[in-house]
PDB file of all heavy atoms in Angstrom:
ATOM      1  N   SER A 230      -8.851  -8.118  32.693  1.00  0.00           N
ATOM      2  CA  SER A 230      -9.902  -8.949  33.299  1.00  0.00           C
ATOM      3  C   SER A 230      -9.307  -9.727  34.452  1.00  0.00           C
ATOM      4  O   SER A 230      -8.256 -10.333  34.324  1.00  0.00           O
ATOM      5  CB  SER A 230     -10.430  -9.982  32.322  1.00  0.00           C
ATOM      6  OG  SER A 230     -11.372  -9.434  31.472  1.00  0.00           O
ATOM      7  N   PHE A 249      -9.499 -20.105  31.360  1.00  0.00           N
ATOM      8  CA  PHE A 249      -9.544 -18.818  32.077  1.00  0.00           C
ATOM      9  C   PHE A 249     -11.006 -18.398  32.196  1.00  0.00           C
ATOM     10  O   PHE A 249     -11.748 -18.463  31.233  1.00  0.00           O
ATOM     11  CB  PHE A 249      -8.796 -17.726  31.329  1.00  0.00           C
ATOM     12  CG  PHE A 249      -9.034 -16.336  31.932  1.00  0.00           C
ATOM     13  CD1 PHE A 249      -8.525 -16.026  33.182  1.00  0.00           C
ATOM     14  CD2 PHE A 249      -9.799 -15.384  31.278  1.00  0.00           C
ATOM     15  CE1 PHE A 249      -8.784 -14.783  33.757  1.00  0.00           C
ATOM     16  CE2 PHE A 249     -10.053 -14.147  31.807  1.00  0.00           C
ATOM     17  CZ  PHE A 249      -9.535 -13.855  33.078  1.00  0.00           C
ATOM     18  N   THR A 250     -11.393 -18.033  33.424  1.00  0.00           N
ATOM     19  CA  THR A 250     -12.745 -17.575  33.631  1.00  0.00           C
ATOM     20  C   THR A 250     -12.788 -16.363  34.524  1.00  0.00           C
ATOM     21  O   THR A 250     -11.967 -16.255  35.459  1.00  0.00           O
ATOM     22  CB  THR A 250     -13.630 -18.689  34.229  1.00  0.00           C
ATOM     23  OG1 THR A 250     -14.912 -18.144  34.527  1.00  0.00           O
ATOM     24  CG2 THR A 250     -13.027 -19.283  35.465  1.00  0.00           C
ATOM     25  N   THR A 251     -13.691 -15.455  34.230  1.00  0.00           N
ATOM     26  CA  THR A 251     -13.897 -14.328  35.141  1.00  0.00           C
ATOM     27  C   THR A 251     -14.904 -14.705  36.215  1.00  0.00           C
ATOM     28  O   THR A 251     -15.124 -13.939  37.137  1.00  0.00           O
ATOM     29  CB  THR A 251     -14.420 -13.101  34.355  1.00  0.00           C
ATOM     30  OG1 THR A 251     -15.467 -13.538  33.500  1.00  0.00           O
ATOM     31  CG2 THR A 251     -13.330 -12.472  33.528  1.00  0.00           C
ATOM     32  N   ARG A 252     -15.526 -15.879  36.040  1.00  0.00           N
ATOM     33  CA  ARG A 252     -16.553 -16.292  36.995  1.00  0.00           C
ATOM     34  C   ARG A 252     -16.271 -17.701  37.545  1.00  0.00           C
ATOM     35  O   ARG A 252     -17.082 -18.635  37.320  1.00  0.00           O
ATOM     36  CB  ARG A 252     -17.935 -16.286  36.321  1.00  0.00           C
ATOM     37  CG  ARG A 252     -18.433 -14.878  35.948  1.00  0.00           C
ATOM     38  CD  ARG A 252     -18.739 -14.010  37.160  1.00  0.00           C
ATOM     39  NE  ARG A 252     -19.596 -14.653  38.148  1.00  0.00           N
ATOM     40  CZ  ARG A 252     -20.903 -14.720  38.025  1.00  0.00           C
ATOM     41  NH1 ARG A 252     -21.536 -14.165  37.022  1.00  0.00           N
ATOM     42  NH2 ARG A 252     -21.641 -15.316  38.956  1.00  0.00           N
ATOM     43  N   THR A 255     -18.969 -19.937  39.137  1.00  0.00           N
ATOM     44  CA  THR A 255     -20.060 -20.641  38.404  1.00  0.00           C
ATOM     45  C   THR A 255     -19.652 -22.060  38.027  1.00  0.00           C
ATOM     46  O   THR A 255     -20.340 -22.734  37.266  1.00  0.00           O
ATOM     47  CB  THR A 255     -20.423 -19.876  37.119  1.00  0.00           C
ATOM     48  OG1 THR A 255     -19.278 -19.894  36.237  1.00  0.00           O
ATOM     49  CG2 THR A 255     -20.846 -18.450  37.405  1.00  0.00           C
ATOM     50  N   TYR A 330     -16.355 -19.871  18.657  1.00  0.00           N
ATOM     51  CA  TYR A 330     -16.572 -18.649  19.464  1.00  0.00           C
ATOM     52  C   TYR A 330     -15.524 -18.561  20.576  1.00  0.00           C
ATOM     53  O   TYR A 330     -15.439 -17.542  21.254  1.00  0.00           O
ATOM     54  CB  TYR A 330     -18.002 -18.543  19.980  1.00  0.00           C
ATOM     55  CG  TYR A 330     -18.419 -19.406  21.172  1.00  0.00           C
ATOM     56  CD1 TYR A 330     -18.420 -18.897  22.459  1.00  0.00           C
ATOM     57  CD2 TYR A 330     -18.834 -20.727  20.991  1.00  0.00           C
ATOM     58  CE1 TYR A 330     -18.816 -19.667  23.546  1.00  0.00           C
ATOM     59  CE2 TYR A 330     -19.234 -21.509  22.053  1.00  0.00           C
ATOM     60  CZ  TYR A 330     -19.239 -20.965  23.351  1.00  0.00           C
ATOM     61  OH  TYR A 330     -19.633 -21.743  24.418  1.00  0.00           O
ATOM     62  N   VAL A 331     -14.755 -19.609  20.728  1.00  0.00           N
ATOM     63  CA  VAL A 331     -13.638 -19.524  21.657  1.00  0.00           C
ATOM     64  C   VAL A 331     -12.364 -19.288  20.826  1.00  0.00           C
ATOM     65  O   VAL A 331     -12.107 -19.998  19.853  1.00  0.00           O
ATOM     66  CB  VAL A 331     -13.515 -20.819  22.501  1.00  0.00           C
ATOM     67  CG1 VAL A 331     -12.243 -20.801  23.325  1.00  0.00           C
ATOM     68  CG2 VAL A 331     -14.739 -20.929  23.411  1.00  0.00           C
ATOM     69  N   LEU A 332     -11.618 -18.256  21.224  1.00  0.00           N
ATOM     70  CA  LEU A 332     -10.454 -17.859  20.468  1.00  0.00           C
ATOM     71  C   LEU A 332      -9.184 -18.435  21.097  1.00  0.00           C
ATOM     72  O   LEU A 332      -9.051 -18.465  22.313  1.00  0.00           O
ATOM     73  CB  LEU A 332     -10.320 -16.338  20.451  1.00  0.00           C
ATOM     74  CG  LEU A 332     -11.497 -15.580  19.809  1.00  0.00           C
ATOM     75  CD1 LEU A 332     -11.243 -14.099  19.923  1.00  0.00           C
ATOM     76  CD2 LEU A 332     -11.673 -15.995  18.363  1.00  0.00           C
ATOM     77  N   TYR A 335      -6.951 -15.761  23.317  1.00  0.00           N
ATOM     78  CA  TYR A 335      -7.347 -15.114  24.553  1.00  0.00           C
ATOM     79  C   TYR A 335      -7.332 -16.126  25.687  1.00  0.00           C
ATOM     80  O   TYR A 335      -7.705 -17.281  25.467  1.00  0.00           O
ATOM     81  CB  TYR A 335      -8.737 -14.497  24.438  1.00  0.00           C
ATOM     82  CG  TYR A 335      -9.094 -13.642  25.617  1.00  0.00           C
ATOM     83  CD1 TYR A 335      -8.400 -12.468  25.901  1.00  0.00           C
ATOM     84  CD2 TYR A 335     -10.099 -14.020  26.514  1.00  0.00           C
ATOM     85  CE1 TYR A 335      -8.711 -11.707  26.994  1.00  0.00           C
ATOM     86  CE2 TYR A 335     -10.424 -13.253  27.614  1.00  0.00           C
ATOM     87  CZ  TYR A 335      -9.725 -12.090  27.852  1.00  0.00           C
ATOM     88  OH  TYR A 335     -10.009 -11.351  28.962  1.00  0.00           O
ATOM     89  N   GLY A 338      -7.362 -20.236  25.627  1.00  0.00           N
ATOM     90  CA  GLY A 338      -7.906 -20.838  24.419  1.00  0.00           C
ATOM     91  C   GLY A 338      -8.925 -21.917  24.727  1.00  0.00           C
ATOM     92  O   GLY A 338      -9.311 -22.681  23.843  1.00  0.00           O
ATOM     93  N   ILE A 340     -12.494 -22.809  27.481  1.00  0.00           N
ATOM     94  CA  ILE A 340     -13.421 -22.307  28.506  1.00  0.00           C
ATOM     95  C   ILE A 340     -14.198 -23.444  29.120  1.00  0.00           C
ATOM     96  O   ILE A 340     -14.299 -24.542  28.576  1.00  0.00           O
ATOM     97  CB  ILE A 340     -14.439 -21.297  27.921  1.00  0.00           C
ATOM     98  CG1 ILE A 340     -15.362 -21.983  26.921  1.00  0.00           C
ATOM     99  CG2 ILE A 340     -13.747 -20.106  27.295  1.00  0.00           C
ATOM    100  CD1 ILE A 340     -16.700 -21.321  26.761  1.00  0.00           C
ATOM    101  N   MET A 341     -14.726 -23.151  30.320  1.00  0.00           N
ATOM    102  CA  MET A 341     -15.746 -24.043  30.859  1.00  0.00           C
ATOM    103  C   MET A 341     -17.089 -23.413  30.410  1.00  0.00           C
ATOM    104  O   MET A 341     -17.269 -22.212  30.525  1.00  0.00           O
ATOM    105  CB  MET A 341     -15.636 -24.173  32.363  1.00  0.00           C
ATOM    106  CG  MET A 341     -15.775 -22.865  33.136  1.00  0.00           C
ATOM    107  SD  MET A 341     -15.685 -23.210  34.923  1.00  0.00           S
ATOM    108  CE  MET A 341     -16.248 -21.664  35.649  1.00  0.00           C
ATOM    109  N   VAL A 343     -20.702 -22.460  30.859  1.00  0.00           N
ATOM    110  CA  VAL A 343     -21.686 -22.328  31.923  1.00  0.00           C
ATOM    111  C   VAL A 343     -22.925 -21.641  31.356  1.00  0.00           C
ATOM    112  O   VAL A 343     -23.042 -20.426  31.420  1.00  0.00           O
ATOM    113  CB  VAL A 343     -21.119 -21.491  33.092  1.00  0.00           C
ATOM    114  CG1 VAL A 343     -22.139 -21.447  34.252  1.00  0.00           C
ATOM    115  CG2 VAL A 343     -19.793 -22.023  33.579  1.00  0.00           C
ATOM    116  N   GLY A 346     -24.893 -18.950  33.212  1.00  0.00           N
ATOM    117  CA  GLY A 346     -24.317 -17.656  33.545  1.00  0.00           C
ATOM    118  C   GLY A 346     -23.762 -16.902  32.383  1.00  0.00           C
ATOM    119  O   GLY A 346     -23.410 -15.715  32.501  1.00  0.00           O
ATOM    120  N   ASP A 347     -23.653 -17.508  31.208  1.00  0.00           N
ATOM    121  CA  ASP A 347     -23.031 -16.839  30.075  1.00  0.00           C
ATOM    122  C   ASP A 347     -23.909 -17.062  28.846  1.00  0.00           C
ATOM    123  O   ASP A 347     -24.205 -18.203  28.476  1.00  0.00           O
ATOM    124  CB  ASP A 347     -21.630 -17.438  29.860  1.00  0.00           C
ATOM    125  CG  ASP A 347     -20.872 -16.722  28.743  1.00  0.00           C
ATOM    126  OD1 ASP A 347     -21.349 -16.702  27.590  1.00  0.00           O
ATOM    127  OD2 ASP A 347     -19.807 -16.163  29.041  1.00  0.00           O
ATOM    128  N   ARG A 349     -23.448 -16.684  25.624  1.00  0.00           N
ATOM    129  CA  ARG A 349     -22.915 -17.444  24.493  1.00  0.00           C
ATOM    130  C   ARG A 349     -23.003 -18.943  24.773  1.00  0.00           C
ATOM    131  O   ARG A 349     -23.355 -19.746  23.899  1.00  0.00           O
ATOM    132  CB  ARG A 349     -21.454 -17.025  24.225  1.00  0.00           C
ATOM    133  CG  ARG A 349     -21.310 -15.612  23.746  1.00  0.00           C
ATOM    134  CD  ARG A 349     -19.884 -15.134  23.891  1.00  0.00           C
ATOM    135  NE  ARG A 349     -19.427 -15.220  25.288  1.00  0.00           N
ATOM    136  CZ  ARG A 349     -18.210 -14.886  25.712  1.00  0.00           C
ATOM    137  NH1 ARG A 349     -17.307 -14.478  24.875  1.00  0.00           N
ATOM    138  NH2 ARG A 349     -17.918 -14.963  26.990  1.00  0.00           N
ATOM    139  N   ARG A 445      -6.626  -8.308  27.219  1.00  0.00           N
ATOM    140  CA  ARG A 445      -7.023  -8.466  25.812  1.00  0.00           C
ATOM    141  C   ARG A 445      -5.849  -8.119  24.907  1.00  0.00           C
ATOM    142  O   ARG A 445      -5.737  -8.598  23.784  1.00  0.00           O
ATOM    143  CB  ARG A 445      -8.214  -7.542  25.560  1.00  0.00           C
ATOM    144  CG  ARG A 445      -9.162  -8.058  24.502  1.00  0.00           C
ATOM    145  CD  ARG A 445     -10.582  -7.632  24.761  1.00  0.00           C
ATOM    146  NE  ARG A 445     -11.233  -8.566  25.682  1.00  0.00           N
ATOM    147  CZ  ARG A 445     -11.691  -9.752  25.336  1.00  0.00           C
ATOM    148  NH1 ARG A 445     -11.602 -10.174  24.101  1.00  0.00           N
ATOM    149  NH2 ARG A 445     -12.234 -10.558  26.227  1.00  0.00           N
TER     150      ARG A 445
HETATM  151  C1  ANZ B   1     -17.094 -19.216  32.624  1.00  0.00           C
HETATM  152  C2  ANZ B   1     -18.121 -18.159  32.731  1.00  0.00           C
HETATM  153  C3  ANZ B   1     -19.319 -18.174  33.390  1.00  0.00           C
HETATM  154  C4  ANZ B   1     -17.703 -17.018  32.061  1.00  0.00           C
HETATM  155  C5  ANZ B   1     -20.093 -17.068  33.411  1.00  0.00           C
HETATM  156  C6  ANZ B   1     -18.447 -15.882  32.039  1.00  0.00           C
HETATM  157  C7  ANZ B   1     -19.663 -15.915  32.709  1.00  0.00           C
HETATM  158  P1  ANZ B   1     -13.646 -11.189  29.668  1.00  0.00           P
HETATM  159  O1  ANZ B   1     -14.481 -10.402  30.622  1.00  0.00           O
HETATM  160  O2  ANZ B   1     -13.696 -10.661  28.292  1.00  0.00           O
HETATM  161  O3  ANZ B   1     -12.259 -11.425  30.151  1.00  0.00           O
HETATM  162  N1  ANZ B   1     -13.606 -16.787  27.724  1.00  0.00           N
HETATM  163  C8  ANZ B   1     -12.415 -17.047  28.299  1.00  0.00           C
HETATM  164  N2  ANZ B   1     -11.489 -17.307  27.351  1.00  0.00           N
HETATM  165  C9  ANZ B   1     -12.103 -17.188  26.174  1.00  0.00           C
HETATM  166  C10 ANZ B   1     -11.693 -17.359  24.831  1.00  0.00           C
HETATM  167  N3  ANZ B   1     -10.437 -17.699  24.543  1.00  0.00           N
HETATM  168  N4  ANZ B   1     -12.587 -17.150  23.839  1.00  0.00           N
HETATM  169  C11 ANZ B   1     -13.854 -16.817  24.132  1.00  0.00           C
HETATM  170  N5  ANZ B   1     -14.317 -16.681  25.385  1.00  0.00           N
HETATM  171  C12 ANZ B   1     -13.451 -16.863  26.389  1.00  0.00           C
HETATM  172  O4  ANZ B   1     -14.377 -12.628  29.514  1.00  0.00           O
HETATM  173  C13 ANZ B   1     -13.914 -13.722  30.171  1.00  0.00           C
HETATM  174  C14 ANZ B   1     -14.903 -14.804  29.962  1.00  0.00           C
HETATM  175  O5  ANZ B   1     -14.969 -15.095  28.572  1.00  0.00           O
HETATM  176  C15 ANZ B   1     -14.519 -16.067  30.648  1.00  0.00           C
HETATM  177  O6  ANZ B   1     -15.319 -16.303  31.797  1.00  0.00           O
HETATM  178  C16 ANZ B   1     -14.986 -17.124  29.666  1.00  0.00           C
HETATM  179  O7  ANZ B   1     -16.310 -17.395  30.032  1.00  0.00           O
HETATM  180  C17 ANZ B   1     -14.886 -16.469  28.355  1.00  0.00           C
HETATM  181  F1  ANZ B   1     -21.247 -17.056  34.057  1.00  0.00           F
HETATM  182  O8  ANZ B   1     -15.952 -18.587  32.037  1.00  0.00           O
HETATM  183  B1  ANZ B   1     -16.359 -17.274  31.465  1.00  0.00           B
END
Side-chain angles (χ1 to χ4, degrees):
S230 279
F249 169 69
T250 174
T251 46
R252 293 294 309 279
T255 64
Y330 78 98
V331 173
L332 300 178
Y335 188 66
I340 64 154
M341 59 177 193
V343 184
D347 185 299
R349 293 162 302 178
R445 209 148 276 282

